[in-house]
């Protein structure tokens, strides 16, 4: 296991190149699931856990991880797979970092890591319904066969266990600025319906209208269509929030493409991602984002929007 995960730190250079690596694993079914390696700290054998009375049914317990107590979530149960316990026994725990928090996920067999391009990652089919726990799917060549791999929407899993507060602190609001936000439009680009909902619920309180896209390529095509129709992009929307990791085109590539097009190069872009750390801050500067926010922080979302509105008022 240590050999499998030993080079994770060296894999971060893939981010920003529209490429990613996926850690593939099983949950006791014939299906293969995956998480982005960039969000995985390590994979460990199942540790001792303390039960938490009254905890969410999918929270199996709390364990000590490198001196800190972290929750361990039954991923199989969290995404709605019902199996006879006698037929499935979890084997490992994936330690991940999402939205500025560390947690473990109980999984079955770990398979391997694949290196692929975001262009090969597709949104889930519409037949999957709105209640599925996937952000994307891809096909991986396994010998002579092509295997379907399902990428889990961890943000949705966490949101069902940890309640996210979308309220805005009063001391964050600048009424001299926020009064001008009503009716303004913002483009939100994120493959997670949960993440889009969080932004929509937060910024909707300011009277902002939210336009949503599920991936970077769709967002770029929308922006280009406005420009091709002779519209001024910065008149159509006040700004754009984009996730980093998305099917077909990631947020870094999306930002880079926007900056290269003189018809939209001045668009204010904020990267809003569950990825965190100095690496992201460096990527923001490299591709030309105006701001970087780690999810989910309602007050910071409002702060960014107000910053952009101030710039527009002073232009």
């Amino acid at each position: 296991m240590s050999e499998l995960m030993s080079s994770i730190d060296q894999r971060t250079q893939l981010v920003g190149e529209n490429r990613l690596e996926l850690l593939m694993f099983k949950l006791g079914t014939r299906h293969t699931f995956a998480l982005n390696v960039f969000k995985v700290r390590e994979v460990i054998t199942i540790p001792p856990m303390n039960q938490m009375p009254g905890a969410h049914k999918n929270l199996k317990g709390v364990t000590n991880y490198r001196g800190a107590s972290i929750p361990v979530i039954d991923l199989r149960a969290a995404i709605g797979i019902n199996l006879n316990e006698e037929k499935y026994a979890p084997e490992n725990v994936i330690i991940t970092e999402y939205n500025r928090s560390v947690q473990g996920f109980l999984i079955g067999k770990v398979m391997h890591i694949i290196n692929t391009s975001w262009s090969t990652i597709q949104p889930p089919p519409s037949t999957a319904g709105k209640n599925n726990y996937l952000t994307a799917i891809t096909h991986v060549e396994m010998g002579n066969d092509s295997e379907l791999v399902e990428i889990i929407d961890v943000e949705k899993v966490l949101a069902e266990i940890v309640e996210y507060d979308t309220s805005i602190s009063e001391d964050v609001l600048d009424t001299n600025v926020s009064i001008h936000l009503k009716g303004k439009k913002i483009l939100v680009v994120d493959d997670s319906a949960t993440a889009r909902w969080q932004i929509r619920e937060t910024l909707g309180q300011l009277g902002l209208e939210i336009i949503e896209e599920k991936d970077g390529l769709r967002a770029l095509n929308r922006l280009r269509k406005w420009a091709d129709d002779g519209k001024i992009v910065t008149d159509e929307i006040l700004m754009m929030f984009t996730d980093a990791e998305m099917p077909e085109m990631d947020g870094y590539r999306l930002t880079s493409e926007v900056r290269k097009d003189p018809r939209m190069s001045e668009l204010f872009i904020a990267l809003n991602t569950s990825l965190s750390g100095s690496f992201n801050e460096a990527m923001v500067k490299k591709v030309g984002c105006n701001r970087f926010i780690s999810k989910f922080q309602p007050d910071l979302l409002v702060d960014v929007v107000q910053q952009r509105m101030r710039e527009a008022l002073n232009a």
Side-chain angles (χ1 to χ4, degrees), residues 14-298:
L14 294 173
V15 181
E17 302 299 330
N18 213 45
R19 297 193 65 81
L20 76 160
E21 289 190 314
L22 296 171
L23 175 64
M24 299 166 56
F25 55 88
K26 295 288 189 177
L27 291 174
T29 69
R30 60 183 178 83
H31 299 274
T32 299
F33 298 94
L35 294 178
N36 191 333
V37 165
F38 197 67
K39 293 181 178 178
V40 177
R41 286 195 171 188
E42 63 180 309
V43 178
I44 61 175
T45 56
I46 298 176
M49 288 182 281
N50 295 319
Q51 301 300 311
M52 299 291 290
H56 191 281
K57 63 180 181 179
N58 295 330
L59 183 62
K60 300 303 289 184
V62 173
T63 190
N64 184 284
Y65 173 73
R66 300 188 183 278
S69 294
I70 66 168
V72 178
I73 297 162
D74 184 342
L75 189 55
R76 173 194 62 82
I79 66 173
I81 298 177
N82 296 314
L83 291 174
N84 187 321
E85 292 292 345
E86 295 179 358
K87 296 181 179 179
Y88 170 74
E91 301 177 28
N92 301 286
V93 171
I94 298 180
I95 306 296
T96 68
E97 182 175 358
Y98 283 84
N99 298 357
R100 299 172 296 120
S101 66
V102 177
Q103 53 280 312
F105 291 101
L106 279 173
I107 62 165
K109 178 183 178 183
V110 172
M111 299 174 68
H112 49 266
I113 292 173
I114 61 165
N115 180 321
T116 188
S117 167
W118 277 112
S119 62
T120 69
I121 309 296
Q122 302 297 318
S126 57
T127 53
K130 293 183 179 181
N131 294 322
N132 73 81
Y133 288 84
L134 306 178
T135 57
I137 60 172
T138 189
H139 286 84
V140 176
E141 298 301 323
M142 305 287 288
N144 295 323
D145 299 321
S146 177
E147 182 171 351
L148 177 68
V149 176
E150 302 174 75
I151 303 172
I152 294 174
D153 186 349
V154 175
E155 290 175 78
K156 180 175 180 178
V157 171
L158 293 176
E160 292 182 354
I161 296 174
V162 180
E163 184 175 351
Y164 288 96
D165 184 3
T166 60
S167 61
I168 302 168
S169 302
E170 288 187 14
D171 58 354
V172 172
L173 287 175
D174 182 344
T175 54
N176 292 326
V177 175
S178 61
I179 194 173
H180 296 281
L181 292 173
K182 188 173 182 179
K184 297 292 184 182
K185 297 178 181 179
I186 289 178
L187 178 58
V188 174
V189 192
D190 202 302
D191 58 339
S192 170
T194 297
R196 296 196 306 273
W197 173 86
Q198 289 170 336
I199 296 178
R200 187 170 65 247
E201 287 295 301
T202 301
L203 299 183
Q205 298 172 64
L206 303 178
L208 287 156
E209 296 182 21
I210 307 300
I211 302 170
E212 300 180 28
E213 289 292 358
K214 298 178 180 179
D215 64 67
L217 184 58
R218 291 186 185 189
L220 182 61
N221 288 338
R222 179 187 285 266
L223 294 170
R224 284 174 172 168
K225 178 66 165 55
W226 284 338
D228 291 343
D229 291 343
K231 298 178 180 179
I232 299 174
V233 170
T234 51
D235 286 346
E236 293 298 310
I237 54 174
L238 181 66
M239 60 170 294
M240 176 172 71
F241 283 103
T242 179
D243 189 18
E245 305 169 275
M246 294 178 289
E248 298 199 80
M249 180 181 290
D250 66 27
Y252 304 106
R253 177 61 62 85
L254 169 61
T255 301
S256 180
E257 292 297 321
V258 169
R259 293 291 181 245
K260 288 190 294 186
D261 190 327
R263 302 174 301 173
M264 61 183 77
S265 60
E266 297 302 312
L267 180 63
F268 189 103
I269 302 174
L271 189 74
N272 181 52
T273 174
S274 55
L275 298 172
S276 58
S278 58
F279 175 81
N280 249 314
E281 295 172 8
M283 284 304 304
V284 163
K285 294 179 181 178
K286 178 180 177 181
V287 301
C289 286
N290 298 91
R291 285 285 296 270
F292 162 64
I293 313 172
S294 293
K295 296 176 182 176
F296 166 65
Q297 302 183 75

